[in-house]
Amino acid sequence: MAPAPASPNVHEEIDRRLARVGQRWTRGRRAVVDVMAKSSAPVSVPELHTLVGPGIPLSTLYRIISDLLAANVLIKLEFAEGFARFELDDTLSKHHHHLVCTGCGTVIDLELADLETVLDGTTALIRKRTGFKVASHRLDFFGLCSSCAKAAG
Amino acid sequence: MAPAPASPNVHEEIDRRLARVGQRWTRGRRAVVDVMAKSSAPVSVPELHTLVGPGIPLSTLYRIISDLLAANVLIKLEFAEGFARFELDDTLSKHHHHLVCTGCGTVIDLELADLETVLDGTTALIRKRTGFKVASHRLDFFGLCSSCAKAAG
DNA sequence: ATATATGCAAAACTTTTGCATACAA
DNA sequence: TTGTATGCAAAAGTTTTGCATATAT
């Protein structure tokens, strides 16, 4: 259900992607990538700041995030919260969707391989109908997580 | 392909929703709802400011938006642009998805009735697998619109 | 008449940037 | 050594809020 944990292969692949755009493998980037690889849900910058400790200032975290986006190591997501969240690129972990709890705000990763087939098939249909050339998609489900559902009765 | 245009019925239904939470039907709200009803894609507040004219200050627009969200007249969307977009609630127009052009940033509304059946069926699966009680979903496709695809060769 | 909505100004919050210094290759 | 990354401080962009006034019902 959660994306694959960080493996040495992932680490090597990130290394390759940083090198490709002339980025160096620094303490700060290692810290950010480690947090992202361990997290089973997208992370915001303030959360990241807490998770990596106050050693790295927010401005640097934002710059690291921006660099890792440019290197195709991370992707950016927004859930109408007023700030952005980030997670490892699908090609580094596994393509997945999100369950967003409207009760407590928690975001849960979810793999739905069966649904992928349908969505991929839709790509051709959209192109024929509209001329739009789909490259990727994003699917979020909103509702109540099991504990919020219980609390609501 | 685009959502249904504003109809008298929609207007009445909005009226009802405002009344339900004790909100008044004012010049500013009428202006905002009119823009939303005419637009075939989600609108940002700065865009709204341009579209309704400078007569209504940004702070008031933000407050109107906030009120209309609370009255379930609008929904809030974010596309990783750094700001939010808004559109009429699905129950006032028609449930649809979005094509987001990564070339020019344009967002296009798209109805995919056939896909809805599959997605609705997925709800039960998710609940059984995870205990998460899905209430709604959101599906965005990213890629190049026909003109950007042409420009890219 | 009375509660709600607006306008203006100020502030809060997220994110970006300039510049001097520190660090990776 | 040389270009890239960091830290600090300041700024920019989006969104929120306090308070007095205006407006809808």
Side-chain angles (χ1 to χ4, degrees), chain B residues 22-42:
Chain B
Q23 284 184 28
R24 290 164 181 179
W25 190 249
T26 65
R27 179 176 65 89
R29 281 176 191 158
R30 216 177 323 255
V32 170
V33 165
D34 281 354
V35 168
M36 295 298 183
K38 274 181 206 131
S39 172
S40 68

Side-chain angles (χ1 to χ4, degrees), chain B residues 75-134:
Chain B
I75 62 168
K76 180 178 183 179
L77 299 168
E78 297 194 10
F79 295 96
E81 297 168 300
F83 51 83
R85 291 181 176 277
F86 305 86
E87 65 182 14
L88 281 190
D89 184 81
D90 273 344
T91 54
L92 287 169
S93 51
K94 212 163 213 168
H95 180 66
H96 59 269
H97 304 116
H98 300 105
L99 300 177
V100 183
C101 179
T102 52
C104 62
T106 304
V107 180
I108 304 162
D109 282 0
L110 172 81
E111 278 176 33
L112 274 175
D114 14 355
L115 201 51
E116 282 312 292
T117 317
V118 182
L119 289 171
D120 287 347
T122 307
T123 294
L125 175 66
I126 291 175
R127 188 158 181 188
K128 200 190 304 180
R129 255 206 236 170
T130 67
F132 191 98
K133 200 169 166 182
V134 173

Side-chain angles (χ1 to χ4, degrees), chain A residues 132-136, chain B residues 99-106 141-145 148:
Chain A
F132 192 98
K133 200 171 169 183
V134 174
S136 64
Chain B
L99 300 177
V100 183
C101 179
T102 52
C104 62
T106 304
F141 293 94
F142 300 89
L144 296 175
C145 70
C148 284

Side-chain angles (χ1 to χ4, degrees), chain A residues 1 76-84 99-102 106 108 110-115 118-119 122-123 125-126 129-146 149 153, chain B residues 1 76-84 99-102 106 108 110-115 118-119 122-123 125-126 129-146 149 153:
Chain A
M1 212 128 69
K76 180 179 183 179
L77 298 169
E78 297 195 10
F79 294 96
E81 298 168 300
F83 51 83
L99 300 178
V100 184
C101 179
T102 51
T106 304
I108 304 163
L110 172 82
E111 279 175 30
L112 274 176
D114 14 355
L115 200 52
V118 181
L119 289 172
T122 308
T123 294
L125 174 66
I126 291 176
R129 255 206 237 167
T130 68
F132 192 98
K133 200 171 169 183
V134 174
S136 64
H137 66 258
R138 171 181 162 185
L139 175 59
D140 302 327
F141 293 93
F142 300 89
L144 296 175
C145 69
S146 49
Chain B
M1 210 131 66
K76 180 178 183 179
L77 299 168
E78 297 194 10
F79 295 96
E81 297 168 300
F83 51 83
L99 300 177
V100 183
C101 179
T102 52
T106 304
I108 304 162
L110 172 81
E111 278 176 33
L112 274 175
D114 14 355
L115 201 51
V118 182
L119 289 171
T122 307
T123 294
L125 175 66
I126 291 175
R129 255 206 236 170
T130 67
F132 191 98
K133 200 169 166 182
V134 173
S136 64
H137 66 259
R138 171 181 162 184
L139 174 60
D140 302 329
F141 293 94
F142 300 89
L144 296 175
C145 70
S146 51

Side-chain angles (χ1 to χ4, degrees), chain B residues 42-93:
Chain B
V43 181
S44 70
V45 173
E47 283 170 1
L48 198 56
H49 192 232
T50 304
L51 292 168
V52 305
I56 302 175
L58 276 176
S59 64
T60 298
L61 285 179
Y62 277 108
R63 242 184 302 222
I64 288 174
I65 292 284
S66 164
D67 293 341
L68 294 180
L69 285 172
N72 290 307
V73 171
L74 299 181
I75 62 168
K76 180 178 183 179
L77 299 168
E78 297 194 10
F79 295 96
E81 297 168 300
F83 51 83
R85 291 181 176 277
F86 305 86
E87 65 182 14
L88 281 190
D89 184 81
D90 273 344
T91 54
L92 287 169
S93 51

